[in-house]
Amino acid sequence: DSKNNAYFTDIGREHVGRIDAKTGEITMFATPTKDSGPRRAMMDDQDRLWFGEYRANAIAMFDTKSTEFKEWKLPLGWSNPYDVTVDKNGHAWTGSMLNDRISRLDPKTGAVKEWPIPVVSPERNKGVLDVQFDADENVWVGNGFQKAIQMFDRKTETFKTYPMAPEFDGDQTELLFLAPKNYKVDGKVWVKNSDGSQIMRFDPKTEQWENLGAFSNPADGKRFGIYGIRADAQNNLYLLDFQTSNI
């Protein structure tokens, strides 16, 4: 938050934790819904912590100043939101891990609007993880086992679907994490393919894919087990590595 206190979520139960920046003291706050499964929190500019309640099927907000929670149930059962991202208008966006849609919440009215994500491979599982914005706050998602990424144009409220290039496709292809925020720097959206922890780049203008492959730790040669990815203002990529505990 603005006082440099750190916050975390406990997906195993129903708590948000705060680590006091001055004392190191940890304080736990329980969500109104028991066993809500909070996950993937983000702080807005008003010191409000937003997160998905995976098992409660809800978008939630924790006001770090008042220490009060608000929860908004999603209309579709078994949405199981993975994360929440807030745009410049204060609307909260999330994607469904178990079905084919993205959702937008207006916290002022409580209204939730949902859009089905185009299905590319009907025979394969549907669902998305994180929802990311580009510089224009268009919404990007990786559609997992559907072997595609999608961009949702906020102005037209329509999706543009970009299927994986056939030469890089495989039975275990799973496109879940993207880093589109600063793609206009060099015209490339970073994409992670969970099949072998491969890193890919996609050019929305030419619709061409690049496969940079998997990476290994120079110190010991162990292959990175990549989870999340993020890009900086120059569109350099940063990897969160499960296997060797590195960034």
Side-chain angles (χ1 to χ4, degrees), residues 115 118 139 151-160:
W115 294 268
V139 180
M151 187 273 284
F152 179 75
D153 187 306
R154 291 165 55 101
K155 294 180 180 179
T156 63
E157 295 191 359
T158 58
F159 284 93
K160 174 65 175 176

Side-chain angles (χ1 to χ4, degrees), residues 180-217:
K181 178 69 174 180
N182 298 304
Y183 86 85
K184 291 186 178 180
V185 171
D186 56 11
K188 303 296 178 65
V189 176
W190 292 100
V191 184
K192 178 222 165 179
N193 182 0
S194 295
D195 183 7
S197 283
Q198 299 175 81
I199 295 298
M200 315 191 79
R201 293 195 298 185
F202 176 73
D203 185 328
K205 186 175 181 179
T206 65
E207 299 192 18
Q208 295 298 304
W209 290 80
E210 298 175 75
N211 186 2
L212 304 184
F215 293 85
S216 299
N217 187 346

Side-chain angles (χ1 to χ4, degrees), residues 92-116:
W93 295 77
T94 191
S96 167
M97 285 188 67
L98 297 185
N99 53 55
D100 56 348
R101 63 197 57 222
I102 59 172
S103 305
R104 184 191 66 198
L105 164 72
D106 183 342
K108 293 181 179 179
T109 65
V112 176
K113 186 171 183 178
E114 299 188 316
W115 294 268

Side-chain angles (χ1 to χ4, degrees), residues 89-144:
N89 297 319
H91 295 155
W93 295 77
T94 191
S96 167
M97 285 188 67
L98 297 185
N99 53 55
D100 56 348
R101 63 197 57 222
I102 59 172
S103 305
R104 184 191 66 198
L105 164 72
D106 183 342
K108 293 181 179 179
T109 65
V112 176
K113 186 171 183 178
E114 299 188 316
W115 294 268
I117 300 171
V119 175
V120 179
S121 303
E123 74 282 2
R124 294 173 65 87
N125 290 346
K126 305 175 185 68
V128 300
L129 293 189
D130 62 338
V131 171
Q132 295 290 324
F133 297 142
D134 62 22
D136 299 317
E137 289 200 333
N138 294 311
V139 180
W140 290 75
V141 294
N143 207 355

Side-chain angles (χ1 to χ4, degrees), residues 57 73-77 79 103 112-114:
N57 209 60
K73 295 289 185 180
L74 294 171
L76 184 67
S79 290
S103 305
V112 176
K113 186 171 183 178
E114 299 188 316

